[in-house]
Amino acid sequence: MIKAENISYSINNMLLLDQISLAFQPNEISMILGPNGAGKSTLIKILSKQIKPNKGRVITNGNVLQNISQSELAKTQAVLSQNIHMVFPMKVEEVVMMGRYPHFSSKAESNDKEIVLEAMKLFQVDEMAQRNYLTLSGGEKQRVHFARVAAQVWPDGKQQLKILLLDEPLTFLDINYQLDFMKKLKVMMNNQPMTVIGVVHDLNLAYKYSDQVIFLKSGKVFSQGRKEDVFTTSSLKEVFNLNAKFILNEGVRHLLF
Amino acid sequence: MKTKTLYLILALIAFLVGIGSALFGAVSISLEEMAAAIQKWISQTDDLSLNEQIFLDIRLPRAVLGLIVGGSLAVGGVLMQGLFLNPIVEPGLVGTSSGAAFGAALYFTLGTSIDFHTGEFTLPIAASIGGAIATFLVYFLAESPTRKTSIVTLLLVGIAINALFFSGVGFLSYIARDPQARSITFWNLGTLSGANWISVAICSLVSLSCIVLGLRNAKQLNTLMLGESEAGNLGIKVKTLKIRMLTINVILISVCTAFTGVIAFVGLIVPHFLRIISGSDSRQLIIGSFMMGAILLGLADILARLLLAPAELPIGIVTTMVGVPVFIYLLRKHNNYF
């Protein structure tokens, strides 16, 4: 389990996060939503140890995050960021292999190569394994990074919890790949105890695939909980200034705005 | 191309260039004489002919030094390009060479009056101190606490620091007595003419250890290609990695510069072409660049001795003449690097 305890973060006297306390359960997808500037990305950066909170702490698998070494953390936790900009040519399979780097010291073992192959297959980039990453389209590049991050936290039969943090990962993807990605995430979660925490912009996607939802507004938690409880007409109005409706179709509640 | 095939081809060419480099010069030496000299050297026989002596004491160390220094300069280029994520960076641009030149020139002119001697290692140590000061000055002045180091800032700071240290070298050669001054000037333009077995021994020792260290960090250097925060997410301590890379580069380049002077652009050209052939994996780049850099500098040294024969052109001039067009081509073609 991951717990954020009383986290505050400010930069240049601007308070970006104000006393955030949250808990993320194993085998759940938690989505952090909020308007621009709400502090979503900052929160992901703190949870992934990229920046240190001014106050409060993060507890990951029972340990204080600040006390876990970077290299140990990378064995169980992967982060998928937006906008990865590469300048040098590399083969797709070499990029995906980087996800295995935390797991071996100097040469990839057969186990690592297998996982890379599996991860490339899962995200349908195995056909372009030998291609130069720089020549791919934006969506293809993003799928390569999905495969890389998946390879990093690939199910290994151990019961240790793996953590996947997603910072607006679906930006460049066609809608079918977005849905596809979420489904594949669920497949991976079936084979491995895993906590997924994501920042997404698409309310419908969050509504469809999340277990827990957190609404952030101006650096504070506006509401959190089961998606059915958090997604309400009044909260959507207050957080996103959105006039939303819900409709029932074949027993499933859908969000309309 | 298979990596091993590539290595084999490069090693073969490097070997041939080495032999070629030992053949050319004011005195022509035949292959038979070379073979005889090597046999006598192995059997420790003393009765060498003049040509055999020239080969063993002048040509061979010069050829070997050329290969090692060329390789080292190229590896320095790989490390700096990987660190700054830009193919137009090389050790000369980030201040290492000019700083090392200044450190070495300082020792040339004032070394006798300062009581600082560690035998054969004094000159390379003086160069390394100068190289370290200049490189870390460039690195920290170009770095900004809030955003990532921009290549434009880096280049501009590099220009300023290089100007400072080169004018320092100029000042030293100005105040130096005549023979010293001439040697500073010549060596400032880069030359392999001072090669001997001691410089070969020191350079190979340093070069080998730096390359082993570089290879041990190759995986980490690869992750930097995804950007600093991604490297962090893959378990890399980015700050320590950068300091480590800069330090390896400083020692490698400064020691070479101490013996050969400033030789520019090898570190720029070689990794670039190798990337086109075999991609950007740092491990392959380090090994391949070492051999390709050796080839390039070996060829440049042959040219330097042939162009104005029997006089000799400083080798730095040859590499610059080849390097500048490549540099400008890179600037104009790949402006997405900025």
Side-chain angles (χ1 to χ4, degrees):
Chain A
M1 189 170 78
I2 302 187
K3 268 166 50 183
E5 296 180 347
N6 244 330
I7 286 185
S8 295
Y9 181 76
S10 55
I11 190 164
N12 299 334
N13 288 325
M14 286 251 298
L15 193 58
L16 297 184
L17 291 177
D18 189 7
Q19 296 184 334
I20 305 269
S21 291
L22 293 166
F24 303 94
Q25 304 297 335
N27 301 317
E28 278 193 3
I29 297 180
S30 301
M31 296 280 196
I32 303 168
L33 293 145
N36 290 334
K40 304 176 300 257
S41 285
T42 312
L43 183 56
I44 285 283
K45 286 200 178 92
I46 285 174
L47 292 175
S48 63
K49 210 187 166 194
Q50 283 176 47
I51 51 178
K52 230 165 101 179
N54 302 109
K55 278 188 205 132
R57 57 182 193 171
V58 178
I59 310 283
T60 301
N61 285 335
N63 297 313
V64 180
L65 185 63
Q66 285 307 326
N67 299 340
I68 308 174
S69 79
Q70 203 80 25
S71 53
E72 274 307 305
L73 189 66
K75 286 180 185 163
T76 55
Q77 173 176 294
V79 185
L80 184 60
S81 322
Q82 44 178 337
N83 283 332
I84 294 170
H85 178 67
M86 288 179 68
V87 281
F88 293 132
M90 270 218 134
K91 278 185 205 155
V92 166
E93 70 174 2
E94 288 176 319
V95 177
V96 178
M97 182 55 90
M98 287 193 202
R100 296 306 298 170
Y101 280 5
H103 302 277
F104 62 86
S105 66
S106 73
K107 281 226 147 155
E109 287 165 30
S110 58
N111 166 48
D112 300 306
K113 288 176 187 158
E114 261 168 52
I115 289 174
V116 165
L117 206 63
E118 291 291 311
M120 287 196 298
K121 275 191 191 142
L122 183 62
F123 291 99
Q124 293 151 328
V125 291
D126 52 322
E127 305 251 299
M128 42 185 109
Q130 298 301 319
R131 275 182 63 191
N132 176 357
Y133 169 88
L134 296 183
T135 64
L136 305 182
S137 74
E140 288 170 335
K141 284 180 179 165
Q142 196 65 354
R143 271 152 55 209
V144 171
H145 290 299
F146 285 165
R148 170 174 65 81
V149 169
Q152 192 179 347
V153 289
W154 198 256
D156 55 7
K158 291 181 202 149
Q159 279 311 298
Q160 196 185 13
L161 179 73
K162 304 235 167 170
I163 299 150
L164 186 56
L165 300 167
L166 310 166
D167 189 1
E168 299 190 31
L170 306 171
T171 321
F172 296 109
L173 284 187
D174 294 340
I175 181 75
N176 60 324
Y177 278 118
Q178 292 190 7
L179 300 177
D180 191 55
F181 173 68
M182 298 311 298
K183 282 181 199 149
K184 281 165 179 169
L185 217 57
K186 296 254 181 190
V187 172
M188 283 180 69
M189 292 170 78
N190 285 336
N191 298 317
Q192 171 76 38
M194 198 182 270
T195 298
V196 177
I197 306 169
V199 168
V200 286
H201 265 309
D202 190 323
L203 292 174
N204 274 307
L205 199 76
Y207 187 66
K208 195 165 154 73
Y209 286 101
S210 59
D211 301 301
Q212 181 186 219
V213 171
I214 295 129
F215 276 1
L216 281 190
K217 193 189 175 188
S218 320
K220 289 195 175 95
V221 176
F222 179 85
S223 55
Q224 66 169 113
R226 303 287 96 193
K227 62 181 171 188
E228 297 81 8
D229 306 328
V230 177
F231 270 98
T232 61
T233 357
S234 64
S235 69
L236 287 167
K237 176 78 192 152
E238 269 197 70
V239 176
F240 293 98
N241 195 21
L242 207 63
N243 295 311
K245 274 197 296 204
F246 293 93
I247 55 161
L248 265 174
N249 181 28
E250 294 172 0
V252 184
R253 204 166 75 132
H254 289 277
L255 171 65
L256 275 188
F257 50 82
Chain B
M1 198 186 313
K2 272 259 194 252
T3 320
K4 280 187 184 137
T5 328
L6 179 71
Y7 291 165
L8 209 67
I9 295 172
L10 286 176
L12 192 70
I13 301 176
F15 180 71
L16 291 177
V17 167
I19 292 180
S21 170
L23 279 174
F24 288 112
V27 184
S28 65
I29 296 176
S30 66
L31 281 171
E32 290 79 36
E33 283 171 314
M34 283 171 64
I38 290 175
Q39 266 175 2
K40 285 184 185 168
W41 177 68
I42 291 169
S43 61
Q44 300 283 320
T45 322
D46 276 339
D47 57 331
L48 295 163
S49 72
L50 181 65
N51 274 8
E52 289 167 354
Q53 210 155 14
I54 291 176
F55 172 73
L56 278 187
D57 293 344
I58 299 173
R59 293 286 173 78
L60 196 56
R62 179 176 184 147
V64 177
L65 188 71
L67 297 180
I68 292 169
V69 169
S72 305
L73 292 173
V75 171
V78 172
L79 300 183
M80 290 302 95
Q81 293 183 2
L83 178 63
F84 292 105
L85 287 178
N86 202 295
I88 64 166
V89 178
E90 67 133 17
L93 272 172
V94 298
T96 318
S97 311
S98 63
F102 179 73
L106 199 63
Y107 175 71
F108 266 171
T109 42
L110 304 175
T112 42
S113 44
I114 321 167
D115 208 20
F116 171 70
H117 295 289
T118 49
E120 298 298 341
F121 285 98
T122 317
L123 183 65
I125 288 174
S128 297
I129 294 171
I133 291 172
T135 309
F136 283 94
L137 260 181
V138 170
Y139 177 69
F140 286 112
L141 288 176
E143 205 190 35
S144 143
T146 50
R147 57 192 165 74
K148 80 185 207 42
T149 308
S150 104
I151 190 67
V152 178
T153 320
L154 178 78
L155 292 180
L156 293 176
V157 174
I159 289 170
I161 298 293
N162 279 334
L164 180 70
F165 281 89
F166 275 131
S167 75
V169 176
F171 171 72
L172 288 171
S173 73
Y174 181 71
I175 61 163
R177 282 181 296 272
D178 188 47
Q180 277 177 335
R182 248 189 91 75
S183 71
I184 290 178
T185 315
F186 197 60
W187 167 90
N188 205 16
L189 298 168
T191 177
L192 291 170
S193 60
N196 55 39
W197 286 114
I198 291 167
S199 54
V200 168
I202 295 176
C203 280
S204 12
L205 190 75
V206 169
S207 179
L208 188 71
S209 3
C210 285
I211 285 166
V212 170
L213 285 175
L215 287 175
R216 289 181 61 142
N217 286 287
K219 214 178 70 174
Q220 276 112 304
L221 200 57
N222 276 350
T223 63
L224 267 190
M225 280 191 266
L226 298 171
E228 289 183 19
S229 52
E230 290 309 295
N233 293 333
L234 285 169
I236 309 302
K237 280 194 181 133
V238 175
K239 269 207 180 118
T240 358
L241 175 69
K242 286 182 151 186
I243 301 292
R244 232 181 296 151
M245 287 296 128
L246 285 168
T247 310
I248 296 173
N249 166 69
V250 162
I251 295 172
L252 183 65
I253 300 304
S254 302
V255 171
C256 291
T257 305
F259 293 110
T260 65
V262 180
I263 300 175
F265 290 106
V266 177
L268 176 91
I269 305 169
V270 173
H272 177 72
F273 281 116
L274 209 62
R275 262 196 204 96
I276 297 173
I277 302 173
S278 70
S280 304
D281 177 66
S282 304
R283 188 181 188 82
Q284 293 180 20
L285 271 184
I286 289 174
I287 300 174
S289 289
F290 183 81
M291 297 194 272
M292 210 187 227
I295 295 170
L296 186 72
L297 202 66
L299 287 176
D301 190 38
I302 295 175
L303 266 184
R305 278 174 291 165
L306 283 185
L307 285 177
L308 293 182
E312 181 182 329
L313 204 61
I315 194 169
I317 292 181
V318 180
T319 59
T320 304
M321 283 189 317
V322 181
V324 166
V326 177
F327 181 74
I328 290 174
Y329 167 80
L330 282 179
L331 273 184
R332 295 199 55 94
K333 182 166 183 209
H334 296 290
N335 31 23
N336 57 328
Y337 290 129
F338 289 91

